[in-house]
Amino acid sequence: MSDHYERVKIELQQMKAVETEAAAEEEQLSPASSVPADVSFAALPRARRDLSRSSINGRSRSKSRGKADGHEKQVNGKHLSDVAPRKSDCSQEKGQSRVSNEQILQIKGTGRLLKSKTTANGHVESCQRQTDEKCEHRGKEDGSKVAKKRRAVTVDTSKAKTSLEALKMSIRLLKWKEFPMGRRTACDIYWHGVSFHDNENIVSGQVNKFPGMIEMLRKINLSRAVRTMQEIYPEEYNFYPRSWILPEEYQLFCTQIRLLKDNDSTLKPTFIVKPDSGSQGDGIYLIRDPADLRVISGSQIKQSVVQEYIQKPLLIDKLKFDIRLYVLVRSLDPLEIYIAKEGLSRFCTEPYQEPSQKNLSHVFMHLTNYSLNVHSGNFVHSDSCSTGSKRTFSSVLYRLASKGVDIKKVWSDIIALVIKTVIALVPELKVYYQADIPPGKPGPTCFQILGFDILLMKNLKPVLLEVNANPSMRIEHEQEVSPGVYEYIPSPVDEEVKVGVIRDTLRLMDPAQRKHITSNAGGVSPEDAIVVETASDEKEGSADSLPSLCLKQVFPKYTKQFNYLRVVDRIATIFLRFLGVKGTMKLGPTGFRTFIRNCKLSNSSFSMASVDILYIDITRRWAGMIPDSREAGMCLQAFIEAFFYLAARRFKASPLREQVLLLLEVCEGALEGQSPTDKPRPQRSHTNPGPMQPSAPNTFSSPALMRRRHQPLQISAKANTDN
Ligand code: ADP
């Protein structure tokens, strides 16, 4: 039995053993996490602020916050009774003991755990089914009653870090159950502040981070993913500024800019240089000539992206601003995307002028980062959501509408930008996902809130600046009242936007609301498979008098408009099929040969020896471009390049997009009748590619090794406070 299954077994046993004990213990844990309303956080020295963070609910809250606190008290009062009796739990009505009842419910919300449990215990499976049926029946009779009295959803908040304050508020509003110190038994939801790996060994429930999201959203990887899409769909992906990846494209950048200037001496382009793993404006600078690149740090060439600078942004009150939009990726497969209807607009604090040699270093003029501008003397903290240096996005839209701008068009362009960007990221995310959570094994499912930073150009076209894997969810800001003494002041605009986003993300992830039939269940197509039972995105309020959802579903809602773009996703599906050993992310030479053979791509003019040369050539080049890569073999991006090459070779006369689509049809057609589990054939000796051949991952890489590779990166340890 694998370690993973062993852990699940132990976890299930622990659930049984500690359940009765936990019932009492849990009720004690929760009140300790609740906030003492009479303790003020203000005026504490900086060193103590984290310890006391939760006490911010105190006196300095605004009127609306006071109301919220009142509600929280009521919720707290109800808390124990909501959890303890569970009289309306359908399974309890069946006369089951609390232990088995709890287990069943625990399992109900967590598909993967259910699977391993059901194979081990048919009885539980049948109880589960009866329970569901009865619940459904009761739900029809009196949906609100069942919803009110069901077991509170449990949330492990022990790793929530800077999201904690907004998360606590959301959990109270929903009358859910918080575990601020973690819990020995499984929780329904794990809220991580940084990465998927903040808590290790989660085998059930839902985690609010995807494996690999931090890596994918680094500036270089994001640029690569978008660029791949730009190769096939240049028009659709022209919302991302032209970018060069350093150091590998340093020469290319220099040559292209020289040619540009030679052709038109009046051109004065400006570029923005961003360190690969930077955030909050760190290390960013503007240049007008490649000679000004500060590419060398010590003897190392710095990994960064140099990007065309948008010189004519839309201005309000003569100030440049950007938009922070919160986007929930609720599931990768099937793809589900929600966009928060409200976002933030972050303003510069110095009037904008088009870049000139003189003003290139004026960060308060060119960079909209909150974390930078908050240090400007001109920064305006405002209690109103429509004034000051940070405002709601809707207030900006109203203002634009009052000037005759077609804001519906602006909004729909933004939605398109978001969907297209996520579509560009999904293929690689799926590779990370299967490496950490192999299909068919117990593990959690994932969701994630992303922070999209978008700039509106003067002509109102939205431009993607970057996507944050860990957008700041702080709802207060820091103020230095005297040297070294800081006050935390509630920020109404942050609270308005961020608490709504977290609360409604939780509502959408509520295990009881979510019936998720995967695409391999009964031949249901992914688009048809999602049933959100009561928390539909347009729903008006709920039985618990919660407001309507502030998150709007945009995918699969707009599948018809955007699904044609998912070409690289189809290539990734083929890549994953031949990846072989679970836990790896790179294709070995044998896997690549099997792909060629099974898709019938080799012929007299393209021998298997040529296949090996192609593999070595592309794999070696990509290994050079990703220097910190510890696993040998062909990464997805390299496979995509090989796929494009094969497509161009086979369908010479057509444009690239058509070539790729035609080759996909050939491959998918050939693979249709074959079992995905067909073992790769052993490599024949005469095609041994020789000493340069990278080792096949499956000869040396174990899942454990791969897991270590995914440990949080240095960059991820830094809490993002940018907004
Ligand atoms: P960081 O992760 O360090 O915040 P960003 O890519 O978000 O890096 O860039 C920081 C700021 O620089 C943005 O908020 C925006 O104001 C400005 N900026 C970034 N890219 C561009 C661009 N291509 N054109 C104009 N301004 C940009």
CSV table of all heavy atoms in Angstrom, one decimal, residues 82 86-91 93 105 108 131-152 510 512-513 533-534 543-544:
chain,number,residue,atom,x,y,z
A,82,ASP,N,-26.0,25.4,16.8
A,82,ASP,CA,-26.1,25.1,15.4
A,82,ASP,C,-25.4,23.8,15.1
A,82,ASP,O,-25.7,23.0,14.2
A,82,ASP,CB,-25.5,26.2,14.5
A,82,ASP,CG,-26.4,27.3,14.3
A,82,ASP,OD1,-27.6,27.1,14.6
A,82,ASP,OD2,-26.0,28.3,13.8
A,86,ARG,N,-27.7,18.8,15.5
A,86,ARG,CA,-27.8,18.2,14.2
A,86,ARG,C,-29.0,17.3,14.0
A,86,ARG,O,-29.0,16.3,13.3
A,86,ARG,CB,-26.6,17.3,13.9
A,86,ARG,CG,-25.3,18.1,13.9
A,86,ARG,CD,-24.2,17.3,13.4
A,86,ARG,NE,-23.0,18.1,13.4
A,86,ARG,CZ,-21.9,17.8,14.1
A,86,ARG,NH1,-21.8,16.7,14.7
A,86,ARG,NH2,-20.9,18.6,14.1
A,87,LYS,N,-30.1,17.8,14.6
A,87,LYS,CA,-31.3,16.9,14.5
A,87,LYS,C,-31.8,16.8,13.1
A,87,LYS,O,-32.4,15.8,12.7
A,87,LYS,CB,-32.4,17.5,15.5
A,87,LYS,CG,-32.1,17.1,16.9
A,87,LYS,CD,-33.3,17.2,17.8
A,87,LYS,CE,-32.9,16.8,19.2
A,87,LYS,NZ,-33.1,17.9,20.1
A,88,SER,N,-31.6,17.8,12.3
A,88,SER,CA,-32.2,17.7,11.0
A,88,SER,C,-31.3,17.0,10.0
A,88,SER,O,-31.6,16.9,8.9
A,88,SER,CB,-32.5,19.1,10.5
A,88,SER,OG,-31.3,19.8,10.3
A,89,ASP,N,-30.1,16.6,10.4
A,89,ASP,CA,-29.2,15.9,9.5
A,89,ASP,C,-30.0,14.6,9.1
A,89,ASP,O,-30.4,13.8,10.0
A,89,ASP,CB,-27.9,15.5,10.2
A,89,ASP,CG,-26.9,16.6,10.1
A,89,ASP,OD1,-27.1,17.5,9.3
A,89,ASP,OD2,-25.9,16.5,10.8
A,90,CYS,N,-30.1,14.4,7.8
A,90,CYS,CA,-30.9,13.3,7.4
A,90,CYS,C,-30.4,12.0,8.0
A,90,CYS,O,-31.1,11.1,8.4
A,90,CYS,CB,-30.9,13.2,5.9
A,90,CYS,SG,-31.7,14.7,5.2
A,91,SER,N,-29.0,11.9,8.0
A,91,SER,CA,-28.4,10.6,8.4
A,91,SER,C,-28.7,10.4,9.9
A,91,SER,O,-28.9,9.3,10.4
A,91,SER,CB,-26.9,10.7,8.2
A,91,SER,OG,-26.4,11.9,8.7
A,93,GLU,N,-31.4,11.3,11.4
A,93,GLU,CA,-32.8,10.8,11.5
A,93,GLU,C,-32.9,9.3,11.3
A,93,GLU,O,-33.8,8.6,11.7
A,93,GLU,CB,-33.7,11.5,10.5
A,93,GLU,CG,-34.0,12.9,11.0
A,93,GLU,CD,-34.7,13.7,9.9
A,93,GLU,OE1,-35.1,13.1,8.9
A,93,GLU,OE2,-34.9,14.9,10.1
A,105,LEU,N,-20.9,12.6,6.7
A,105,LEU,CA,-21.0,14.0,6.2
A,105,LEU,C,-19.7,14.5,5.8
A,105,LEU,O,-19.6,15.2,4.8
A,105,LEU,CB,-21.6,14.8,7.3
A,105,LEU,CG,-23.1,14.6,7.5
A,105,LEU,CD1,-23.6,15.3,8.8
A,105,LEU,CD2,-23.9,15.1,6.3
A,108,LYS,N,-19.1,13.3,2.5
A,108,LYS,CA,-20.1,13.8,1.5
A,108,LYS,C,-19.5,15.0,0.8
A,108,LYS,O,-19.6,15.0,-0.4
A,108,LYS,CB,-21.4,14.2,2.2
A,108,LYS,CG,-22.4,14.6,1.2
A,108,LYS,CD,-23.7,15.0,2.0
A,108,LYS,CE,-24.6,15.6,1.0
A,108,LYS,NZ,-25.8,16.2,1.7
A,131,THR,N,-28.7,8.6,2.4
A,131,THR,CA,-28.6,9.9,3.0
A,131,THR,C,-28.8,11.0,2.0
A,131,THR,O,-29.6,11.9,2.2
A,131,THR,CB,-27.3,10.1,3.7
A,131,THR,OG1,-27.1,9.1,4.6
A,131,THR,CG2,-27.2,11.4,4.5
A,132,ASP,N,-28.1,10.9,0.9
A,132,ASP,CA,-28.3,11.9,-0.2
A,132,ASP,C,-29.7,12.0,-0.7
A,132,ASP,O,-30.2,13.1,-0.9
A,132,ASP,CB,-27.3,11.6,-1.3
A,132,ASP,CG,-25.9,12.0,-1.0
A,132,ASP,OD1,-25.7,12.8,0.0
A,132,ASP,OD2,-25.0,11.6,-1.7
A,133,GLU,N,-30.2,10.8,-0.9
A,133,GLU,CA,-31.6,10.7,-1.5
A,133,GLU,C,-32.6,11.4,-0.5
A,133,GLU,O,-33.4,12.2,-0.9
A,133,GLU,CB,-32.0,9.3,-1.7
A,133,GLU,CG,-31.5,8.8,-3.1
A,133,GLU,CD,-31.5,7.3,-3.2
A,133,GLU,OE1,-32.2,6.6,-2.3
A,133,GLU,OE2,-30.8,6.7,-4.0
A,134,LYS,N,-32.4,11.0,0.7
A,134,LYS,CA,-33.3,11.6,1.7
A,134,LYS,C,-33.2,13.1,1.8
A,134,LYS,O,-34.1,13.8,1.9
A,134,LYS,CB,-33.1,10.9,3.1
A,134,LYS,CG,-34.0,11.4,4.2
A,134,LYS,CD,-34.9,10.3,4.6
A,134,LYS,CE,-36.0,10.9,5.5
A,134,LYS,NZ,-36.5,10.0,6.5
A,135,CYS,N,-31.9,13.5,1.8
A,135,CYS,CA,-31.6,14.9,1.9
A,135,CYS,C,-32.2,15.7,0.7
A,135,CYS,O,-32.8,16.7,0.8
A,135,CYS,CB,-30.1,15.2,1.9
A,135,CYS,SG,-29.5,15.0,3.6
A,136,GLU,N,-32.1,15.0,-0.5
A,136,GLU,CA,-32.6,15.7,-1.7
A,136,GLU,C,-34.1,15.8,-1.5
A,136,GLU,O,-34.7,16.8,-1.9
A,136,GLU,CB,-32.3,14.8,-2.9
A,136,GLU,CG,-31.0,15.4,-3.6
A,136,GLU,CD,-30.5,14.4,-4.6
A,136,GLU,OE1,-31.4,13.8,-5.3
A,136,GLU,OE2,-29.3,14.3,-4.7
A,137,HIS,N,-34.8,14.7,-1.1
A,137,HIS,CA,-36.2,14.7,-0.9
A,137,HIS,C,-36.6,15.8,0.1
A,137,HIS,O,-37.5,16.6,-0.2
A,137,HIS,CB,-36.6,13.3,-0.4
A,137,HIS,CG,-38.1,13.2,-0.2
A,137,HIS,ND1,-39.0,13.3,-1.2
A,137,HIS,CD2,-38.8,13.1,0.9
A,137,HIS,CE1,-40.2,13.2,-0.8
A,137,HIS,NE2,-40.1,13.1,0.5
A,138,ARG,N,-35.9,15.8,1.2
A,138,ARG,CA,-36.2,16.9,2.2
A,138,ARG,C,-36.0,18.3,1.7
A,138,ARG,O,-36.7,19.2,1.9
A,138,ARG,CB,-35.4,16.7,3.5
A,138,ARG,CG,-35.9,15.6,4.4
A,138,ARG,CD,-37.2,16.0,5.1
A,138,ARG,NE,-37.1,17.2,5.8
A,138,ARG,CZ,-36.6,17.3,7.0
A,138,ARG,NH1,-36.2,16.2,7.7
A,138,ARG,NH2,-36.5,18.5,7.6
A,139,GLY,N,-34.9,18.3,0.9
A,139,GLY,CA,-34.5,19.6,0.3
A,139,GLY,C,-35.6,20.2,-0.6
A,139,GLY,O,-35.9,21.4,-0.5
A,140,LYS,N,-36.3,19.2,-1.3
A,140,LYS,CA,-37.4,19.7,-2.1
A,140,LYS,C,-38.6,20.2,-1.3
A,140,LYS,O,-39.2,21.1,-1.6
A,140,LYS,CB,-37.8,18.6,-3.1
A,140,LYS,CG,-37.0,18.5,-4.3
A,140,LYS,CD,-37.3,17.3,-5.1
A,140,LYS,CE,-36.1,17.0,-6.1
A,140,LYS,NZ,-36.1,15.6,-6.4
A,141,GLU,N,-38.8,19.4,-0.2
A,141,GLU,CA,-39.9,19.8,0.7
A,141,GLU,C,-39.7,21.1,1.3
A,141,GLU,O,-40.5,22.0,1.4
A,141,GLU,CB,-40.0,18.8,1.8
A,141,GLU,CG,-40.8,17.6,1.5
A,141,GLU,CD,-40.8,16.6,2.6
A,141,GLU,OE1,-40.4,16.9,3.7
A,141,GLU,OE2,-41.2,15.4,2.4
A,142,ASP,N,-38.5,21.3,1.9
A,142,ASP,CA,-38.2,22.5,2.6
A,142,ASP,C,-36.7,22.8,2.6
A,142,ASP,O,-36.0,22.6,3.5
A,142,ASP,CB,-38.7,22.4,4.0
A,142,ASP,CG,-38.5,23.7,4.8
A,142,ASP,OD1,-38.0,24.7,4.3
A,142,ASP,OD2,-38.9,23.7,6.0
A,143,GLY,N,-36.3,23.3,1.4
A,143,GLY,CA,-34.9,23.6,1.2
A,143,GLY,C,-34.2,24.4,2.3
A,143,GLY,O,-33.2,24.1,2.8
A,144,SER,N,-34.9,25.5,2.6
A,144,SER,CA,-34.3,26.4,3.5
A,144,SER,C,-34.1,25.8,4.9
A,144,SER,O,-33.1,26.1,5.6
A,144,SER,CB,-35.1,27.7,3.6
A,144,SER,OG,-36.4,27.4,4.1
A,145,LYS,N,-35.0,25.0,5.3
A,145,LYS,CA,-34.9,24.4,6.7
A,145,LYS,C,-33.7,23.5,6.7
A,145,LYS,O,-32.9,23.5,7.7
A,145,LYS,CB,-36.2,23.5,6.9
A,145,LYS,CG,-36.7,23.6,8.3
A,145,LYS,CD,-38.1,22.9,8.3
A,145,LYS,CE,-38.6,22.7,9.7
A,145,LYS,NZ,-39.8,22.0,9.7
A,146,VAL,N,-33.6,22.7,5.7
A,146,VAL,CA,-32.4,21.7,5.6
A,146,VAL,C,-31.1,22.5,5.6
A,146,VAL,O,-30.2,22.3,6.4
A,146,VAL,CB,-32.5,20.8,4.4
A,146,VAL,CG1,-31.2,20.0,4.3
A,146,VAL,CG2,-33.7,19.9,4.5
A,147,ALA,N,-31.1,23.6,4.8
A,147,ALA,CA,-29.9,24.4,4.7
A,147,ALA,C,-29.5,25.0,6.0
A,147,ALA,O,-28.4,25.1,6.4
A,147,ALA,CB,-30.1,25.5,3.6
A,148,LYS,N,-30.5,25.4,6.8
A,148,LYS,CA,-30.3,26.1,8.0
A,148,LYS,C,-29.7,25.2,9.1
A,148,LYS,O,-28.8,25.5,9.8
A,148,LYS,CB,-31.6,26.7,8.6
A,148,LYS,CG,-31.7,28.2,8.4
A,148,LYS,CD,-32.9,28.7,9.1
A,148,LYS,CE,-33.1,30.2,8.8
A,148,LYS,NZ,-34.3,30.6,9.3
A,149,LYS,N,-30.2,23.9,9.1
A,149,LYS,CA,-29.9,23.1,10.2
A,149,LYS,C,-28.8,22.1,9.9
A,149,LYS,O,-28.4,21.3,10.8
A,149,LYS,CB,-31.1,22.4,10.7
A,149,LYS,CG,-32.1,23.4,11.3
A,149,LYS,CD,-33.3,22.7,11.9
A,149,LYS,CE,-34.3,23.7,12.5
A,149,LYS,NZ,-35.5,23.1,12.9
A,150,ARG,N,-28.2,22.1,8.7
A,150,ARG,CA,-27.2,21.1,8.5
A,150,ARG,C,-25.9,21.4,9.2
A,150,ARG,O,-25.8,22.5,9.7
A,150,ARG,CB,-27.0,21.0,7.0
A,150,ARG,CG,-26.4,22.2,6.4
A,150,ARG,CD,-26.3,22.1,4.9
A,150,ARG,NE,-26.1,23.4,4.3
A,150,ARG,CZ,-24.9,23.9,4.2
A,150,ARG,NH1,-23.9,23.3,4.8
A,150,ARG,NH2,-24.7,25.1,3.7
A,151,ARG,N,-25.1,20.4,9.2
A,151,ARG,CA,-23.8,20.6,10.0
A,151,ARG,C,-23.0,21.8,9.4
A,151,ARG,O,-22.9,22.0,8.2
A,151,ARG,CB,-23.0,19.3,9.7
A,151,ARG,CG,-21.7,19.3,10.5
A,151,ARG,CD,-21.0,18.0,10.2
A,151,ARG,NE,-20.5,17.9,8.8
A,151,ARG,CZ,-19.3,18.4,8.3
A,151,ARG,NH1,-18.5,19.0,9.2
A,151,ARG,NH2,-19.0,18.3,7.1
A,152,ALA,N,-22.4,22.5,10.4
A,152,ALA,CA,-21.7,23.7,9.9
A,152,ALA,C,-20.5,23.3,9.2
A,152,ALA,O,-19.8,22.3,9.5
A,152,ALA,CB,-21.3,24.5,11.2
A,510,ASP,N,-19.0,25.7,-0.6
A,510,ASP,CA,-19.7,24.9,0.4
A,510,ASP,C,-19.9,23.5,-0.2
A,510,ASP,O,-20.6,23.3,-1.2
A,510,ASP,CB,-21.0,25.7,0.6
A,510,ASP,CG,-21.9,25.0,1.6
A,510,ASP,OD1,-21.6,23.8,2.0
A,510,ASP,OD2,-22.9,25.6,2.1
A,512,ALA,N,-21.9,21.2,0.6
A,512,ALA,CA,-23.3,20.8,0.5
A,512,ALA,C,-24.0,21.5,-0.7
A,512,ALA,O,-25.0,21.0,-1.2
A,512,ALA,CB,-24.0,21.2,1.7
A,513,GLN,N,-23.4,22.6,-1.2
A,513,GLN,CA,-24.0,23.3,-2.3
A,513,GLN,C,-23.5,22.7,-3.6
A,513,GLN,O,-24.0,23.1,-4.7
A,513,GLN,CB,-23.7,24.8,-2.3
A,513,GLN,CG,-24.0,25.5,-1.0
A,513,GLN,CD,-25.4,25.8,-0.9
A,513,GLN,OE1,-26.3,25.3,-1.7
A,513,GLN,NE2,-25.8,26.6,0.1
A,533,GLU,N,-26.3,24.0,-6.5
A,533,GLU,CA,-27.7,23.8,-6.1
A,533,GLU,C,-28.5,25.0,-5.7
A,533,GLU,O,-29.5,25.3,-6.2
A,533,GLU,CB,-27.8,22.7,-5.0
A,533,GLU,CG,-27.6,21.3,-5.7
A,533,GLU,CD,-27.6,20.3,-4.7
A,533,GLU,OE1,-27.1,20.5,-3.5
A,533,GLU,OE2,-28.1,19.2,-4.9
A,534,THR,N,-27.9,25.7,-4.7
A,534,THR,CA,-28.7,26.9,-4.3
A,534,THR,C,-28.0,28.2,-4.4
A,534,THR,O,-28.5,29.3,-4.5
A,534,THR,CB,-29.1,26.8,-2.8
A,534,THR,OG1,-28.0,26.6,-2.0
A,534,THR,CG2,-30.1,25.6,-2.6
A,543,ALA,N,-31.7,32.0,2.3
A,543,ALA,CA,-32.5,31.8,3.6
A,543,ALA,C,-31.8,32.5,4.7
A,543,ALA,O,-32.4,32.8,5.7
A,543,ALA,CB,-32.7,30.3,3.8
A,544,ASP,N,-30.5,32.6,4.7
A,544,ASP,CA,-29.8,33.1,5.8
A,544,ASP,C,-29.6,34.6,5.7
A,544,ASP,O,-28.7,35.3,6.3
A,544,ASP,CB,-28.4,32.5,5.9
A,544,ASP,CG,-28.5,31.0,6.3
A,544,ASP,OD1,-29.4,30.7,7.1
A,544,ASP,OD2,-27.7,30.2,5.8
